[in-house]
Amino acid sequence: MTTVGFIGSGSIGSTLARLAIEAGHQVVLSNSRGPETLADTIAELGPRASAATSEEAAAAGDIVVVTVPVTAFPDVPAAPLAGKTVIDTCNYGPDRDGHIPDLDGTSLTSSELLLRYIPDAGLVKAFNTIYFKHLLSLARPAGAADRSYLPIAGDSAPAKATVTEFIDSIGYGVVDAGPLADSWRQATGTPVWGTPYGPPSNEKGEPAGADAIRAALATATR
């Protein structure tokens, strides 16, 4: 059993927590408002879930999921994440986040920006390309003909292997999209972002195999 810590407990975070619990993992959730505000979520998720501060969730997790607005990157606790595998689900959107010059150009990806704040973590970009309702509904066991795949990007081979194993456990295959410098290929608005799994209006989503994800990554332009 793996303990998964969550820094941020919005739609993607709470959906991932649910899938992790169903796969037999333990989860520790946190948000910016304090553990007490997560009482209803914890009650719904059951005994494998608990709430904590972001520092406590980061310390507790064997894997830690960061799922916050890009503007909150400076608040992510660096010390307890040192040496840990960290999953970055975050997307940069100027309409929500305001303009960040480093990210408006082509010199830096949002994951590389996050890594500046948590430099000793093994950071892997994942789960940022799929609508949360599709993430829940498209999970399938290993070997299923209609299993969907998710792109991941990262610089650490061990961290990628850990994330691949976790993603497999919750019902998805993985397509390696390269290093963090290439994670722009799965950023907001790219062909792999949302489209392969169908429109949000179709809440059940459409399965997307490895070939479809590779093709979408290959056609991305910057």
Side-chain angles (χ1 to χ4, degrees):
M1 178 186 69
T2 298
T3 297
V4 186
F6 287 83
I7 299 174
S9 300
S11 297
I12 284 288
S14 58
T15 300
L16 274 175
R18 178 173 168 180
L19 289 172
I21 287 170
E22 289 174 354
H25 303 301
Q26 193 93 13
V27 303
V28 181
L29 282 78
S30 70
N31 63 16
S32 61
R33 301 183 305 277
E36 65 281 355
T37 66
L38 291 166
D40 289 346
T41 301
I42 297 304
E44 180 183 345
L45 291 173
R48 290 183 183 271
S50 60
T53 66
S54 58
E55 289 82 3
E56 291 166 343
D62 302 305
I63 298 170
V64 179
V65 178
V66 175
T67 179
V68 299
V70 170
T71 51
F73 283 179
D75 301 323
V76 175
L81 296 178
K84 293 197 174 186
T85 295
V86 176
I87 298 173
D88 166 25
T89 80
C90 310
N91 285 311
Y92 169 56
D95 290 344
R96 179 195 63 195
D97 302 317
H99 283 280
I100 299 173
D102 283 340
L103 299 184
D104 287 336
T106 60
S107 62
L108 196 71
T109 66
S110 61
S111 289
E112 289 174 308
L113 178 61
L114 176 57
L115 193 60
R116 289 182 175 179
Y117 293 100
I118 51 171
D120 298 318
L123 190 64
V124 178
K125 187 78 165 189
F127 300 112
N128 72 301
T129 62
I130 187 167
Y131 180 44
F132 75 97
K133 291 185 179 179
H134 293 166
L135 179 61
L136 184 63
S137 63
L138 289 173
R140 302 287 190 275
D146 61 345
R147 199 178 215 211
S148 291
Y149 282 68
L150 298 167
I152 68 169
D155 298 334
S156 165
K160 277 184 172 179
T162 297
V163 172
T164 296
E165 183 178 0
F166 172 67
I167 291 176
D168 177 71
S169 77
I170 65 169
Y172 288 86
V174 161
V175 170
D176 190 330
L180 289 180
D182 287 345
S183 62
W184 63 268
R185 291 186 176 276
Q186 63 194 77
T188 305
T190 59
V192 82
W193 186 76
T195 302
Y197 312 103
S201 57
N202 174 8
E203 293 189 2
K204 291 186 176 181
E206 301 169 4
D211 289 345
I213 299 305
R214 291 191 188 100
L217 289 167
T219 57
T221 56
R222 201 170 192 180

